Amino acid sequence: MVVGPDTERRDETLDALAQCAQVTVIATVPLDVAALGAIEIHDPDVVVLGLCGEHRGTDILDGVGVDDTTAVVVLDSFPTEEQIRQVATCGVDGYLVEGQFSSEDLVAAIVLAPTEGSTISPRVAAVLLSDYAGCARRSKEERAAVGLTPREHQVMELIASGISNSEIAQRLTLSMQSVKNKVGRILAKLGVSSRAEAASWWAGYRPADTRSLQQNPRR
């Protein structure tokens, strides 16, 4: 299901998905007060949520966050660093920034969202990693207390960089099942429920700092 602030952006998303047999668009709706109701009616596997400027879709991110069956992939137009942080801490399942993804990247993010978790653009990864570097000394003990194994630590660093499970498997010469198992254990140890939340936590955001993680748990 495609949700966007204007017809032009929704049509651009539809065009990008038109030739993909893996994705079926069941509805397109404006980014307004009726969008959340439409999502509840259509009950899609994935919502592709277009954001732009002041159109932040906060109510949709909060509302869908309560539903553990619907994944959310955000397409954002030139967000500020603070806007990136706000979206990332909502537990989205993919976060792509305009100008930094292709049609193939969008399709991959949608396909991966319900099962493998978040695909994020370089700008999103850069903001989260910058925050991580800035608070590394403050949160060093917290990260150590989580009890990740050395291999889990490697996987977590790659999750924070925004790459998919299949890319992690290739880089670390692991099977996909092994990577999925490690990701599951990492999420459990961090006390979060999605890769985006894990990346946010790794960057220094704790549930106590971002109440939306507690109020709106994701998958």
Side-chain angles (χ1 to χ4, degrees), residues 16-17 20 22 96 101-112 119:
L17 300 176
C20 177
Q22 293 174 284
L96 304 178
F101 67 92
S102 63
S103 297
E104 291 77 14
D105 294 331
L106 173 58
V107 170
I110 293 171
V111 172
L112 293 173
T119 301

Side-chain angles (χ1 to χ4, degrees), residues 62-82:
D62 289 344
V64 178
V66 178
D67 177 6
D68 63 3
T69 65
T70 301
V72 179
V73 174
V74 169
L75 309 182
D76 210 343
S77 296
F78 311 110
T80 65
E81 290 188 3
E82 184 57 33

Side-chain angles (χ1 to χ4, degrees), residues 81 85 124-136 203:
E81 290 188 3
R85 295 184 183 102
V124 177
V127 170
L128 297 181
L129 288 174
S130 175
D131 289 345
Y132 161 62
C135 67

Side-chain angles (χ1 to χ4, degrees), residues 21-218:
Q22 293 174 284
V23 177
T24 300
V25 179
I26 61 174
T28 62
V29 298
L31 179 58
D32 58 24
V33 294
L36 189 56
I39 292 171
E40 293 174 350
I41 291 171
H42 291 284
D43 191 24
D45 292 326
V46 180
V47 171
V48 179
L49 177 61
L51 304 180
C52 177
E54 298 302 316
H55 301 282
R56 305 311 301 164
T58 305
D59 55 336
I60 295 178
L61 289 170
D62 289 344
V64 178
V66 178
D67 177 6
D68 63 3
T69 65
T70 301
V72 179
V73 174
V74 169
L75 309 182
D76 210 343
S77 296
F78 311 110
T80 65
E81 290 188 3
E82 184 57 33
Q83 288 172 336
I84 287 175
R85 295 184 183 102
Q86 290 171 350
V87 172
T89 55
C90 286
V92 296
D93 301 276
Y95 193 178
L96 304 178
V97 174
E98 186 171 326
Q100 295 192 336
F101 67 92
S102 63
S103 297
E104 291 77 14
D105 294 331
L106 173 58
V107 170
I110 293 171
V111 172
L112 293 173
T115 56
E116 294 191 29
S118 302
T119 301
I120 60 178
S121 288
R123 173 160 167 73
V124 177
V127 170
L128 297 181
L129 288 174
S130 175
D131 289 345
Y132 161 62
C135 67
R137 180 171 298 179
R138 176 182 65 81
S139 61
K140 181 178 180 180
E141 292 183 357
E142 286 183 294
R143 293 196 305 276
V146 170
L148 299 185
T149 67
R151 182 62 99 180
E152 288 169 350
H153 191 279
Q154 286 181 306
V155 171
M156 184 59 242
E157 291 283 1
L158 293 174
I159 290 173
S161 74
I163 68 175
S164 68
N165 282 1
S166 58
E167 291 174 298
I168 292 175
Q170 291 176 357
R171 291 199 186 188
L172 299 182
T173 319
L174 297 171
S175 69
M176 276 293 295
Q177 189 57 53
S178 178
V179 172
K180 289 180 179 179
N181 290 342
K182 292 183 189 304
V183 170
R185 288 195 292 269
I186 289 169
L187 297 186
K189 289 180 179 180
L190 295 184
V192 299
S193 50
S194 78
R195 288 163 51 107
E197 288 178 290
S200 295
W201 191 98
W202 205 245
Y205 294 103
R206 297 174 295 172
D209 299 326
T210 53
R211 295 184 181 182
S212 60
L213 296 183
Q214 294 176 321
Q215 295 171 346
N216 300 309
R218 295 289 299 138

